[in-house]
Short mmCIF file of all heavy atoms in Angstrom, two decimals:
data_model
loop_
_atom_site.label_atom_id
_atom_site.label_comp_id
_atom_site.label_asym_id
_atom_site.label_seq_id
_atom_site.Cartn_x
_atom_site.Cartn_y
_atom_site.Cartn_z
N VAL K 936 -35.37 65.19 -20.73
CA VAL K 936 -36.62 64.82 -21.39
C VAL K 936 -36.89 63.35 -21.08
O VAL K 936 -36.11 62.47 -21.45
CB VAL K 936 -36.53 65.02 -22.92
CG1 VAL K 936 -37.87 64.67 -23.57
CG2 VAL K 936 -36.12 66.44 -23.25
N GLY K 961 -44.09 63.55 -20.52
CA GLY K 961 -45.37 63.67 -21.20
C GLY K 961 -46.52 63.01 -20.48
O GLY K 961 -47.68 63.45 -20.59
N ARG K 980 -52.82 47.46 -4.96
CA ARG K 980 -51.81 48.22 -5.69
C ARG K 980 -51.00 47.27 -6.58
O ARG K 980 -50.30 46.39 -6.10
CB ARG K 980 -50.89 48.98 -4.74
CG ARG K 980 -51.63 49.90 -3.76
CD ARG K 980 -50.71 50.96 -3.19
NE ARG K 980 -50.46 52.02 -4.16
CZ ARG K 980 -49.24 52.40 -4.55
NH1 ARG K 980 -48.17 51.81 -4.07
NH2 ARG K 980 -49.10 53.37 -5.43
N GLU K 1046 -27.70 15.36 -8.96
CA GLU K 1046 -26.65 15.66 -7.98
C GLU K 1046 -25.49 16.42 -8.60
O GLU K 1046 -24.89 17.29 -7.96
CB GLU K 1046 -26.14 14.36 -7.34
CG GLU K 1046 -27.10 13.76 -6.32
CD GLU K 1046 -27.27 14.64 -5.08
OE1 GLU K 1046 -26.42 15.55 -4.87
OE2 GLU K 1046 -28.24 14.43 -4.34
N GLU K 1097 -12.91 33.00 -20.50
CA GLU K 1097 -14.19 32.38 -20.10
C GLU K 1097 -15.28 33.45 -19.98
O GLU K 1097 -16.44 33.22 -20.33
CB GLU K 1097 -14.03 31.64 -18.78
CG GLU K 1097 -13.27 30.31 -18.89
CD GLU K 1097 -13.96 29.35 -19.84
OE1 GLU K 1097 -15.20 29.20 -19.75
OE2 GLU K 1097 -13.26 28.75 -20.67
N LEU K 1145 -26.44 36.01 -13.93
CA LEU K 1145 -26.38 37.06 -12.91
C LEU K 1145 -27.60 37.05 -12.00
O LEU K 1145 -27.47 37.20 -10.78
CB LEU K 1145 -26.25 38.43 -13.58
CG LEU K 1145 -24.90 38.78 -14.19
CD1 LEU K 1145 -24.95 40.16 -14.81
CD2 LEU K 1145 -23.78 38.71 -13.15
N GLY K 1188 -39.84 68.76 -29.53
CA GLY K 1188 -38.65 69.00 -30.32
C GLY K 1188 -37.51 69.51 -29.48
O GLY K 1188 -37.68 69.94 -28.34
N GLY K 1263 -47.00 22.22 -5.28
CA GLY K 1263 -46.55 22.32 -3.90
C GLY K 1263 -46.93 23.65 -3.29
O GLY K 1263 -46.77 24.69 -3.93
N ARG K 1311 -49.56 45.75 -0.04
CA ARG K 1311 -50.06 46.13 -1.35
C ARG K 1311 -51.56 45.80 -1.53
O ARG K 1311 -52.12 46.15 -2.57
CB ARG K 1311 -49.27 45.38 -2.45
CG ARG K 1311 -47.82 45.79 -2.54
CD ARG K 1311 -47.03 44.78 -3.37
NE ARG K 1311 -45.65 45.20 -3.56
CZ ARG K 1311 -45.12 45.49 -4.76
NH1 ARG K 1311 -45.86 45.40 -5.84
NH2 ARG K 1311 -43.87 45.84 -4.87
#
Side-chain angles (χ1 to χ4, degrees):
V936 182
R980 305 200 77 235
E1046 285 294 343
E1097 286 300 315
L1145 286 180
R1311 293 165 175 244

